[in-house]
Each structure stands twice: as C-alpha cells, then as structure tokens.
Amino acid sequence: MATILGQNQYGKAENRVVKITRDGDTHHIKDLNVSVALSGDMDDVHYSGSNANVLPTDTTKNTVYAFAKEYGIESAEQFGIHLARWFVNSQEPIQRARIRIEEYGWDRIATSDANSKFIGADEVKHSFVRQGQETRVTQITYDGQNWEVISGLKDLVVMNSTNSEFWGYVKDKYTTLQEAYDRILATQVSSRWRFNWSDDEQRMPNWEKSYAETRKHMLQAFAETYSLSLQQTLYQMGSRIINHRSEIDEVRFSLPNKHHFLVDLEPFGLKNDNEVYFAADRPYGLIEATILRDGADARIPVDMTNL
Ligand SMILES: O=c1[nH]c(=O)c2[nH]c(=O)[nH]c2[nH]1
C-alpha cells in the first residue's frame, strides 16, 4: 500500500442544546454548542469501509441531548467530562474523546427600576437577554434644512422560556406544524426607530437617555407580553416605545424566530418535560413590521439591513 492513514477523528460538531431547569416558576438556562470528536481503532472504516467499530455521529448527537436530560448541565466542564467518559468507557474501539463546548451566557431581563411595579412577578423569572452581543447603530441625514435621525440596535438576543403559544393558524395540505401551548420564544432583535426631531432650533432629544429607555421598554414589553405569536410580541414592543417615548414616531423590527425544538427522548426511555431543546439556526421564521405613531409617515426603509 502506497499510503497510510494518519491522525483521524470523527463525531457530530455543533450540537446546539438548550436546557431549561424549572425551579417553580423561576427558570434557569444552559445554552451550549457541543462538538464531539472521537478517535481509536478506526483504520478499517477508512481502508475498507467496514463500519464495525463506528458509533454513528448521529448517536453522539443523541447522547448529548439525552445526557442533558439524564445528568442536567451543571457546568460545561462537568457536562463534557460525563460525555467524554461515556464514549471512551462504553465503546471498546474508542480510545479518545474530545468534547469542545461553547457556552452562551444569558442575563435575566432587568426590571429593578421605577417601572418594576408594572411587571408581573413571574414574567421576570423566565425572560432572558443573551450576554454581550448587541450593536447600537444610528444614521443621520441633513439636507441643509431638515435633519432625519434614525437609531437602533441589532443582535440583541432575547428568550422567554414560557408564556408563548402558537396555535389556531391556517392548515393546508402541506402543514405539519403541531400547535404549541407552551413553547420557547427567542429572537435576535434588529430594530430602527425614527426621531421626530428635524430642526436645529427645536430642543434636541437626550440621545443617550433615549437609547437606554427605548431599549428598556423594548425588553420589558418582550418579557411582559404573554405571546400568541411573535407578530403580537413585535407589535407590543413597538407600541410600548411609541407610547413612552414622545421623541420617537416610528419603529421598525426585523425579528427572526429562533426556533427551539423539543428533542424526542422517548427512544432512550426518557421523558422530555419541556426541558431539552435543539436550538436550530436555519431556516428561521422572519417577522418584520413597522409601528407608527398615528398620523406619522413611514420613512424607515423596509429593508433596514444597510441602514
Ligand atoms: O410566532 C409565530 N408566528 C408565525 O407566523 C409562525 N409560523 C410558524 O411556523 N411558527 C410561527 N410562530
């Protein structure tokens, strides 16, 4: 033989697992991206195609989801140790397991301010904002007379681990979606809002305060809305801003529905009691709309991505 096999490894990469732990109505999230790489006596599969030593990558994926249920996710390290030990100890041909994990942190949506009395006690316990992602943006246009200021944000990722349903929709012969009465609602908010300030002489908004308050109202509306659709939540987020911020006349949102599918653990004899989810990255629903102050013009472009 003129060639020999060098280093090799295999497994399922980027298993997106979200584990919700329900401590009464206080929920805790662990959100991981888990990659499994196994190596050992794998000469035959490469040389001859014999799969006799090959634990399928599909099985390594299932193990990640089953372990999330069976052992929980205390920490990424603990979870990775369980997995690595399992693969090496349970499969004779596997001599080495490498588990790589990325963990995405989530903070609870803050409500400990003057408005907290408007927030139902249980809303804050299941509403989260992903750490360290958002970008604040603004666009200023001046034609010598009039100013137009459109500000906004992108990549603000939020999740409600309950208080979201989706049912009663149109069903045609291609519809397979099951109605949901308690689902995860998660989105990556991209939003732009247009200020009604247009003239140097008029009093200028306090831009920093306006941004902080607008973001706060957006997050609180997301957390507080008992959602029957992402469209309804979007409208609540926009109207809450228009109703609280007199300097803003128009808000537009582009909200990808970041689907979280319950993993079927029945084949492994485990019951998934709304705990272990597969966080899909694509395709995603994309819900977009503008909310206007009554009488205001719609000027934010439909496609805001270049703004
Ligand atoms: O909030 C939702 N709105 C939809 O329009 C939709 N469509 C879908 O399949 N799931 C969802 N969820």
Side-chain angles (χ1 to χ4, degrees), residues 16 18 20 29 31 106 126 128 130 156-162 164 183-189 222 227 230 233 255-260 279-280 284-285 287:
R16 292 283 289 102
V18 171
I20 307 287
I29 299 186
D31 182 358
W106 294 81
H126 60 251
F128 303 89
R130 206 166 114 171
L156 177 68
V157 183
V158 289
M159 176 193 293
N160 285 328
S161 54
T162 188
S164 166
R183 66 173 186 173
I184 285 184
L185 185 68
T187 186
Q188 178 166 333
V189 179
F222 178 81
S227 177
L230 185 52
T233 296
L255 301 183
N257 192 351
K258 292 173 73 76
H259 302 299
H260 287 68
Y284 48 87
I287 312 296

Side-chain angles (χ1 to χ4, degrees), residues 1-36:
M1 212 191 292
T3 58
I4 54 157
L5 177 67
Q7 195 282 340
N8 62 91
Q9 56 191 17
Y10 81 107
K12 197 72 101 194
E14 304 212 43
N15 298 285
R16 292 283 289 102
V17 58
V18 171
K19 172 82 198 300
I20 307 287
T21 306
R22 289 152 204 270
D23 176 9
D25 53 8
T26 301
H27 295 181
H28 305 273
I29 299 186
K30 279 288 187 185
D31 182 358
L32 306 182
N33 190 15
V34 181
S35 294
V36 176

Side-chain angles (χ1 to χ4, degrees), residues 13-134:
E14 304 212 43
N15 298 285
R16 292 283 289 102
V17 58
V18 171
K19 172 82 198 300
I20 307 287
T21 306
R22 289 152 204 270
D23 176 9
D25 53 8
T26 301
H27 295 181
H28 305 273
I29 299 186
K30 279 288 187 185
D31 182 358
L32 306 182
N33 190 15
V34 181
S35 294
V36 176
L38 306 176
S39 38
D41 298 334
M42 298 295 157
D43 285 5
D44 284 355
V45 62
H46 293 91
Y47 288 134
S48 73
S50 164
N51 292 321
N53 285 353
V54 176
L55 181 73
T57 66
D58 187 68
T59 306
T60 69
K61 174 198 74 186
N62 289 345
T63 310
V64 169
Y65 289 105
F67 275 33
K69 165 72 190 187
E70 280 190 283
Y71 302 104
I73 302 174
E74 208 178 286
S75 61
E77 287 80 1
Q78 187 64 49
F79 192 62
I81 287 166
H82 269 305
L83 285 166
R85 186 191 291 127
W86 168 259
F87 291 123
V88 172
N89 289 354
S90 68
Q91 295 297 320
E92 160 80 24
I94 293 172
Q95 282 140 19
R96 181 173 175 275
R98 190 203 65 199
I99 312 296
R100 285 189 171 161
I101 302 179
E102 290 178 350
E103 176 167 359
Y104 311 116
W106 294 81
D107 294 322
R108 287 178 198 283
I109 291 183
T111 53
S112 57
D113 60 20
N115 284 319
S116 63
K117 62 178 179 294
F118 299 119
I119 308 279
D122 80 330
E123 261 104 17
V124 300
K125 296 178 177 170
H126 60 251
S127 298
F128 303 89
V129 54
R130 206 166 114 171
Q131 288 168 3
Q133 286 227 324
E134 89 201 67

Side-chain angles (χ1 to χ4, degrees), residues 225-236:
T225 302
Y226 189 106
S227 177
L228 299 176
S229 65
L230 185 52
Q231 288 89 329
Q232 182 202 17
T233 296
L234 179 157
Y235 186 79
Q236 290 298 319

